Amino acid sequence: MAFELLGVDAVDWSSMRVGSGSPLEIPHLLQRISNPTDEHDLHLAVGRLHSIVIHEHSVSVVECSEHVIPFLIALCRCPRRSVAAHALQLMTELADCDPFWVEAEHGNHGLAARVGAALRAGLPEYGNLLLNDDPLARQAVLVLLFRLEYAPEWLHRTVTDVLAVDDQRGVLDLARALLINPAYHYEGFELIEAALAKRR
């Protein structure tokens, strides 16, 4: 059954600045990513979208980037597991980018803040993906959450949700990600203790 990505054609992409190519490619690429013919097709489409939303030489976000993010968040609900992982990985790269200098020249100030706000708007979807069956999606969402610098309080709530469904894979993935991040060592150890207590 095809995954329906709503609203793509309602956006006026035509005049937006891009990293390379044409902004008119964006709706086609998003639809292609949502229903790829195979994994190779998915990889090619994501790679092409990457070059459009991120300026390659400066590794910067451009005008179209903030408008693509809501659709990347929507792709996290795609039943095809690898689609969510690819969408998350692209959003993680967007989170690491500063605005392209041309944006300020065109009066497009505050782009970095708007990109950050657009990425944070996906928090409910990211939380759901921590319980995803696909380990790549779970790891990808954890990396994105760390890039967005979510507070330990949010991670504690997420840990509670993970433990509530007794998802040992989710627990282990989350604990591992916490332990390798110096800012969250304590939370990682606490999570492992909670998981062990449930098994006793």
Side-chain angles (χ1 to χ4, degrees):
M1 184 176 178
F3 179 73
E4 189 175 6
L5 194 61
L6 300 174
V8 174
D9 295 324
V11 178
D12 182 10
W13 304 100
S14 60
S15 61
M16 292 186 191
R17 285 179 296 281
V18 296
S20 69
S22 167
L24 296 176
E25 295 179 75
I26 295 173
H28 169 69
L29 288 169
L30 287 170
Q31 295 290 8
R32 185 174 158 195
I33 291 168
S34 67
N35 292 285
T37 55
D38 53 34
E39 290 301 309
H40 180 65
D41 183 49
L42 174 60
H43 179 76
L44 290 176
V46 171
R48 182 64 194 132
L49 184 61
H50 181 285
S51 68
I52 290 174
V53 300
I54 296 177
H55 186 266
E56 181 179 0
H57 298 298
S58 63
V59 193
S60 306
V61 290
V62 289
E63 182 182 9
C64 71
S65 306
E66 65 175 302
H67 301 283
V68 168
I69 290 170
F71 298 106
L72 294 176
I73 294 171
L75 287 170
C76 291
R77 297 192 293 271
C78 182
R80 186 162 183 158
R81 297 172 180 176
S82 54
V83 169
H86 278 286
L88 289 162
Q89 288 161 4
L90 182 50
M91 285 192 284
T92 298
E93 294 199 46
L94 288 168
D96 282 339
C97 293
D98 291 322
F100 189 37
W101 62 269
V102 171
E103 296 302 326
E105 276 199 349
H106 283 82
N108 189 13
H109 303 290
L111 179 59
R114 294 197 305 275
V115 166
L119 290 167
R120 286 176 171 80
L123 181 58
E125 292 298 335
Y126 309 150
N128 290 335
L129 281 169
L130 284 171
L131 303 178
N132 194 287
D133 288 337
D134 181 16
L136 291 178
R138 294 200 303 273
Q139 289 290 348
V141 76
L142 286 168
V143 173
L144 176 57
L145 289 171
F146 288 134
R147 290 289 192 279
L148 295 176
E149 299 179 347
Y150 274 103
E153 290 77 15
W154 186 89
L155 289 168
H156 276 136
R157 292 197 298 273
T158 302
V159 166
T160 302
D161 291 342
V162 171
L163 289 173
V165 297
D166 199 24
D167 178 7
Q168 291 302 313
R169 291 171 305 173
V171 168
L172 290 174
D173 281 346
L174 185 52
R176 187 180 302 112
L178 290 169
L179 287 170
I180 63 175
N181 188 304
Y184 299 106
H185 275 164
Y186 176 80
E187 284 73 22
F189 286 118
E190 190 176 69
L191 174 56
I192 290 173
E193 286 297 315
L196 289 174
K198 281 201 71 171
R199 295 178 63 183
R200 294 189 185 114

